[in-house]
Amino acid sequence: MVFALVGLVVLALLGAVHRYVWRRFVGDTTAPGSRLRRAGTVAAFVLPLLSVGAMTSGRVGAPFWLQQVLAWPGFLWLACLLYLTLALLVGEVVRPVLLRVLARRDAARTGAENGTASGTPAETSGTPTEVPDETRPRTEKLVTTGSTGVSAPPEAVARTASDAPDPVAEPETEPAATASAPAGTTPAPALVPQPSRRLFVSRVVGGAAAAAGLATVGYGAYGVLRGPSVRRITVPLAKLPRAAHGFRIAVVSDIHIGPILGRAHTRRIVDTINATSPDLVAVVGDLVDGSVADLGSAAEPLAALRARHGSYFVTGNHEYFSGAEQWVDHVRELGLVPLENARVEIEGFDLAGVNDIAGETEGQGPDFGRALGDRDRGRAAVLMAHQPVVIHDAVEHGVDLQLSGHTHGGQLWPGNYLAELANPTVAGLERYGDTQLFVSRGAGAWGPPVRVGAPSDITVVELASRQA
């Protein structure tokens, strides 16, 4: 019941946002019945359907080729929707300011023209110039053409502007003005429609918002497809012996191999890790978004990981959406060592790993007692755990350093503020009592292959002994 209500609220919110985006980009800038309006209206219905399909196709067991077809446009549109909406909201602040500036400019120009026509400077006429009321719908300003250069009467311009029913409709013409002209006089020039001030501002603001939003998404997608960068941090551990000083762990999380990020993505990550020559590789969950049958070949480059003390893996929540048991077996075949609530002794410290808390629904949740309960607490302990929220369990079990991921650093600004509500640390290194927590921003992306304000990374954690 609760999930149904949440789903309805989300759908209602998405519907309202799409309506707002349609109004600003299509309804306010195009003429009724025009091709542009029809195309924009069709897109306003098709794009959200693609997004829903992209989010649900994998869960309902759709063929993998269909997941791939839906994923690119569906997920990219979600990112575009976010940043187009944010840009439009900024435009709501700019819109009235721009209207007022243009109104004052037009008022000054009209006053100057009236002053010139009467032979009296506008500023000494003693009559204040009325600023047009932009709260009423205006269609267009009517200007004259012809070789005579005679302007239409101001009353005709005002009447035409105020009587127009639609912001972008064609104006009604007044043929009677020409037919009733006295004989021997020059006919009144034809009236040519031009966009109203409100229509002009709508198009300027909409165009600027579209450019800003789409450029943001494009840059964020380029960052993901280019691959993660390498960060390096040094973490001192009080119990680490001098012999282990300088031990380097390549931490990678949230690779998210799936319908969008496939084998080439995995290969880039493996090449980047190997280039750092780590002593150990720690893959801390959310490796995949799909089954072994669909993505097993895309994960095969992981077999090329090279580290003196091997590569280790723990499950993330997405593994339990994708068949965790099958993936644990598959990564073992690729040469990685799964730590399922288990511990190994490494040169100078203990390396432990726990299952993700999402495994609790399958009876495979984290078991800290099994992973850390009977160890020698005189040795330093490094824990691999996908979600940062288990840090308090790590503190209780005397862990010196926890390596996590899951948050993506927020992935899409301002998502980092939401991530802070659900996680003790969103990215980077922080201390909780005697335990340090490092959270990676991840090497891939979930949903939209876009990152804004949270670039993907692989972090080389260098352990430092205080005895060195």
Side-chain angles (χ1 to χ4, degrees), residues 406-412 415-416 419 426-427 439-442 451-454:
H406 183 64
T407 68
H408 295 211
Q411 185 168 329
L412 296 171
N416 55 301
V426 173
V439 180
S440 168
R441 289 193 295 250
R451 282 177 171 265
V452 177

Side-chain angles (χ1 to χ4, degrees), residues 26-388:
V26 181
D28 290 352
T29 62
T30 60
S34 67
R35 291 182 180 179
L36 284 176
R37 176 165 291 196
R38 288 197 297 268
T41 302
V42 170
F45 283 95
V46 171
L47 289 172
L49 291 178
L50 289 173
S51 297
V52 172
M55 290 186 291
T56 60
S57 58
R59 302 293 179 89
V60 300
F64 189 64
W65 66 265
L66 180 58
Q67 297 178 42
Q68 291 177 302
V69 169
L70 295 173
W72 272 105
F75 283 126
L76 275 178
W77 171 242
L78 290 177
C80 290
L81 181 65
L82 171 62
Y83 290 106
L84 290 174
T85 302
L86 291 176
L88 284 174
L89 292 175
V90 174
E92 298 297 345
V93 178
V94 176
R95 186 185 304 270
V97 176
L98 188 55
L99 282 170
R100 185 174 295 275
V101 169
L102 293 178
R104 289 179 177 175
R105 186 198 66 178
D106 290 349
R109 181 180 298 170
T110 301
E113 290 175 355
N114 291 340
T116 302
S118 63
T120 305
E123 59 271 16
T124 60
S125 62
T127 302
T129 303
E130 182 180 356
V131 178
D133 183 6
E134 281 298 330
T135 62
R136 297 176 301 174
R138 290 187 58 194
T139 303
E140 50 257 307
K141 182 192 295 182
L142 300 180
V143 299
T144 62
T145 61
S147 59
T148 62
V150 180
S151 300
E155 296 82 358
V157 175
R159 182 173 62 257
T160 306
S162 61
D163 293 344
D166 190 90
V168 291
E170 292 297 326
E172 296 183 1
T173 58
E174 299 184 12
T178 302
S180 61
T185 62
T186 303
L191 298 177
V192 179
Q194 288 189 346
S196 71
R197 187 183 305 136
R198 187 171 294 279
L199 176 59
F200 172 74
V201 169
S202 293
R203 289 175 174 173
V204 168
V205 173
L214 296 178
T216 300
V217 172
Y219 181 77
Y222 168 74
V224 171
L225 299 179
R226 178 185 57 191
S229 59
V230 175
R231 298 178 60 212
R232 298 177 184 273
I233 64 170
T234 300
V235 180
L237 300 181
K239 302 175 186 176
L240 190 71
R242 181 179 301 177
H245 178 77
F247 192 98
R248 287 170 294 118
I249 304 174
V251 181
V252 59
S253 74
D254 302 279
I255 297 175
H256 285 289
I257 304 169
I260 294 178
L261 302 175
R263 187 183 181 97
H265 173 63
T266 311
R267 170 57 61 188
R268 282 191 297 269
I269 290 172
V270 169
D271 291 343
T272 302
I273 292 174
N274 288 343
T276 66
S277 300
D279 296 307
L280 183 147
V281 177
V283 182
V284 288
D286 277 8
L287 173 65
V288 293
D289 286 308
S291 66
V292 173
D294 292 332
L295 298 174
S297 61
E300 286 177 357
L302 293 172
L305 285 170
R306 297 290 178 264
R308 186 161 58 99
H309 290 274
S311 301
Y312 294 83
F313 168 79
V314 292
T315 56
N317 54 307
H318 282 249
E319 271 72 59
Y320 293 97
F321 305 148
S322 307
E325 186 175 350
Q326 290 82 5
W327 275 111
V328 167
D329 292 338
H330 190 63
V331 298
R332 184 181 287 112
E333 293 172 359
L334 296 176
L336 283 73
V337 178
L339 292 177
E340 298 181 274
N341 298 321
R343 181 181 76 254
V344 294
E345 292 187 0
I346 304 294
E347 180 182 302
F349 64 94
D350 293 337
L351 178 68
V354 293
N355 295 344
D356 186 70
I357 57 178
E360 292 176 346
T361 58
E362 302 179 13
Q364 300 176 8
D367 187 337
F368 287 87
R370 179 180 168 188
L372 297 162
D374 59 348
R375 73 178 193 88
D376 178 6
R377 290 207 174 194
R379 288 171 55 86
V382 176
L383 173 68
M384 296 169 56
H386 177 63
Q387 297 197 40

